[in-house]
Amino acid sequence: MVTMEIVQQIKQLQKEKNASILAHYYARPEVQDIADYIGDSLELSRKAGETKADIIVFCGVHFMAETAAVISPTKKVLIPVEGAGCSLAESITSEQLTQWKEVNPQGIIVCYVNTSADVKACSDICCTSANALQIVESLPADKKILFVPDNNLGAWVQMKTGREIELWPGNCCVHERITAEMVIARSEEYPDADILIHPECKCSSDLQVANMPNVFIYSTSGILKHATESPKKQFVIGTEIEALYQIGKKNPSKEIIPIAKTMICGQMKKIHLEDVLEALEKEQYEVTIPAAIRAKAWSPIRKMLEMI
Ligand code: SF4
């Protein structure tokens, strides 16, 4: 079947079934093109809560669809490829958090949204890369904080807030490869460019990078906003490669340069248009969360959403 036919069938089924397609900025461009909403984790979480659709087709990885299912328990949430996972989310289990809580009963667990529903259910408050600073700053100063599971984002939050934070040794296999050396080399190559870096990157808490006047650290939506609103004409982007698609679309007169073309998340590329069509036809693969876990996982997400 040619792409146009697949797209038409997707649109038809969407209408018939009152389905909404949510796609992450790292999804394949052709999948982003058929989505009703494109966003980062925070934006998509909000959309999942707001949509009037009966079905949400989540084009991202499994923890994102789980988050949508926690936020919207009355909707049918589908992920078109069941095995689309995340190395970061898989770096921690709920049992490990329960053990930490036993040793630190007064401690506060801040969980990045890139975690399973089980892990969220054992956490005190959730955050995304867009609001992690705000969330940590809001916590009582005398409490011990454990930040899970991304140690690069956690180290950046620690540097920016001055709070002492215990960091979980997890990371994203893509952003972990974006180093200070790469940022410095790109800055020399493009001296007029702003360099926009995601805080999951290994270099986000590097002091030399932090002191470079042309380097800015943002969530993916923040990177898009900066590139769109800045009068500058050249931007080097330090995050997953597909984020450049929307930045380029919204800024056709600007030069958008990847920090490296190899920053690709294979998991985020697992969903093709054919999978979206099949997901709508067969209403597969439904993501369900047991009620008890859902109630507990909702609490840290709700706290985050109420705060921002
Ligand atoms: S880019 Fe990193 S954090 Fe995002 S889904 Fe892929 S492995 Fe997970």
Side-chain angles (χ1 to χ4, degrees), residues 26 61 86-88 114 172-174 200 265 268:
Y26 304 166
V61 292
C86 166
S87 65
L88 179 56
N114 294 35
C172 156
C173 56
V174 179
E200 274 179 34
C265 175
M268 293 291 312

Side-chain angles (χ1 to χ4, degrees), residues 102-280:
E102 276 166 17
V103 180
N104 302 278
Q106 302 301 320
I108 298 176
I109 298 173
V110 180
C111 77
Y112 188 31
V113 71
N114 294 35
T115 43
S116 66
D118 278 351
V119 164
K120 287 187 180 77
C122 296
S123 301
D124 295 295
I125 189 160
C126 190
C127 75
T128 70
S129 53
N131 60 29
L133 293 179
Q134 207 182 333
I135 297 286
V136 168
E137 272 164 353
S138 75
L139 301 175
D142 59 335
K143 296 281 187 193
K144 185 170 183 176
I145 298 172
L146 173 67
F147 190 95
V148 301
D150 189 291
N151 63 358
N152 292 323
L153 175 62
W156 176 71
V157 171
Q158 185 163 249
M159 182 182 78
K160 298 294 278 185
T161 61
R163 294 290 300 262
E164 228 178 86
I165 302 174
E166 192 176 326
L167 304 177
W168 191 259
N171 56 56
C172 156
C173 56
V174 179
H175 292 92
E176 173 70 6
R177 290 185 283 123
I178 301 182
T179 62
E181 292 71 31
M182 288 166 83
V183 173
I184 293 161
R186 283 306 215 186
S187 180
E188 285 167 4
E189 200 178 343
Y190 298 99
D192 296 329
D194 276 353
I195 303 189
L196 311 178
I197 303 289
H198 194 284
E200 274 179 34
C201 295
K202 192 178 180 63
C203 62
S204 65
S205 60
D206 181 280
L207 285 178
Q208 196 177 348
V209 169
N211 289 325
M212 289 167 69
N214 56 337
V215 172
F216 300 86
I217 308 223
Y218 296 117
S219 64
T220 312
S221 56
I223 290 175
L224 175 63
K225 187 168 184 281
H226 180 109
T228 305
E229 292 177 357
S230 166
K232 287 221 176 175
K233 291 289 172 210
Q234 230 180 22
F235 300 90
V236 173
I237 309 298
T239 188
E240 210 274 345
I241 193 87
E242 231 68 88
L244 276 77
Y245 181 59
Q246 291 300 325
I247 303 171
K249 259 177 109 169
K250 289 197 164 55
N251 298 281
S253 63
K254 297 180 181 177
E255 190 182 0
I256 313 296
I257 304 145
I259 194 138
K261 288 184 180 158
T262 51
M263 295 305 151
I264 300 167
C265 175
Q267 298 295 320
M268 293 291 312
K269 306 294 174 271
K270 283 190 170 172
I271 298 174
H272 295 76
L273 283 178
E274 289 82 352
D275 302 310
V276 179
L277 178 57
E278 208 177 350
L280 279 163

